[in-house]
Amino acid sequence: VYVGGNATNGDILLIENINGYNFGKRLIKTQASNFMIRNVSAYSNIEDSLSAIGIQDTSVEGDSQINHSNVIVGNFICKGKIVSPIASSCKNVIFRKGFIDTDYCAMAGNIGGSRAFQLSGADIILENVTACTNVIGFIDNHPIGSLKNVSGKNITISNCSFTVKDASQVYGITTSYGKEAQLSNIKLNNID
C-alpha cells in the first residue's frame, strides 16, 4: 500500500484492515499528510522486509521543514523478520496499541538486528506498544542535512513494554552520534 502527495485541506484518509504475509520491503509506505492507519497485521519470514509501516516525508535538500503531519497509526501487529516494524521521518505522528514480535533479519545492509521502531522525525508519540525484539528502538538524525535540527525532538514513549530477545546483544533505545545530532525533549513514561 503506497500513498503519496500533499493534503491541502482537513480531510482525513483512512487506511484500515491491511494484512500482509511476506510482503516485501514495506507493507504500508506513506508520503502524505492527514491520515489514519488502523488494524494492520504484518508477518514476514523471508528477510526482505525493512518495515511494516513506514511513515515518510518527501522533503528534499534545501527544504526548511518536514512538510507532513497529522498521522495516527493504531491497532497493529508486526511479527517475523522485519528490520524496523514501525518507522517515521515525519512530524506529528502517533503510534498506539501495537504488538511487535520480531526476529533478527539478515536483510542486506542491516546491522544490529531487528528493532521495534526507527524514528527520524519530530513530535512523535508511542503509546501502549508491546515489543519483543533484538533492539528496542533507534532514534536517528534525519537523512537530509537541512532537517537535522528537526529530528529527535519531542518524542514521548508511554505505557510501553519492551523485551530484548538476545541477551548477548542487549540494547535499549539507541541513537546515532556526532556533532550534528540534536536530541531534545525525549520522554519515557511508565516503561517496562
Side-chain angles (χ1 to χ4, degrees):
V1 177
Y2 173 70
V3 179
N6 284 328
T8 57
N9 57 34
D11 293 340
I12 302 293
L13 174 66
L14 174 62
I15 301 168
E16 66 179 343
N17 304 323
I18 306 295
N19 298 295
Y21 175 77
N22 291 340
F23 47 84
K25 192 171 182 181
R26 290 184 183 90
L27 178 59
I28 299 173
K29 176 182 177 181
T30 65
Q31 293 177 291
S33 295
N34 301 328
F35 61 92
M36 294 178 64
I37 299 172
R38 65 183 180 208
N39 305 328
V40 175
S41 178
Y43 177 79
S44 179
N45 65 2
I46 56 175
E47 300 189 297
D48 67 346
S49 297
L50 182 59
S51 64
I53 304 169
I55 311 298
Q56 298 179 316
D57 70 276
T58 56
S59 303
V60 296
E61 195 69 49
D63 283 354
S64 61
Q65 64 182 4
I66 297 174
N67 54 8
H68 296 293
S69 61
N70 303 324
V71 178
I72 299 173
V73 179
N75 298 323
F76 57 90
I77 298 173
C78 305
K79 293 184 175 184
K81 297 179 179 181
I82 307 170
V83 176
S84 296
I86 57 175
S88 176
S89 62
C90 292
K91 292 169 67 174
N92 304 319
V93 178
I94 299 172
F95 293 97
R96 64 168 54 118
K97 296 182 182 174
F99 177 78
I100 297 167
D101 186 358
T102 57
D103 297 312
Y104 182 83
C105 180
M107 183 178 186
N110 181 31
I111 298 172
S114 62
R115 55 197 65 86
F117 57 83
Q118 182 161 346
L119 310 174
S120 60
D123 305 314
I124 299 172
I125 298 173
L126 271 65
E127 291 178 336
N128 302 311
V129 174
T130 300
C132 185
T133 187
N134 291 102
V135 179
I136 293 174
F138 191 63
I139 300 174
D140 198 6
N141 294 317
H142 198 283
I144 296 176
S146 61
L147 297 175
K148 287 192 184 295
N149 64 341
V150 174
S151 63
K153 291 187 175 183
N154 304 323
I155 295 173
T156 302
I157 301 173
S158 297
N159 301 315
C160 295
S161 178
F162 300 112
T163 303
V164 178
K165 285 186 170 183
D166 184 355
S168 68
Q169 194 177 30
V170 176
Y171 297 109
I173 298 171
T174 62
T175 183
S176 59
Y177 58 90
K179 63 181 181 180
E180 74 281 357
Q182 297 186 24
L183 301 178
S184 66
N185 198 23
I186 309 300
K187 296 180 181 178
L188 306 176
N189 303 310
N190 301 319
I191 303 301
D192 180 15

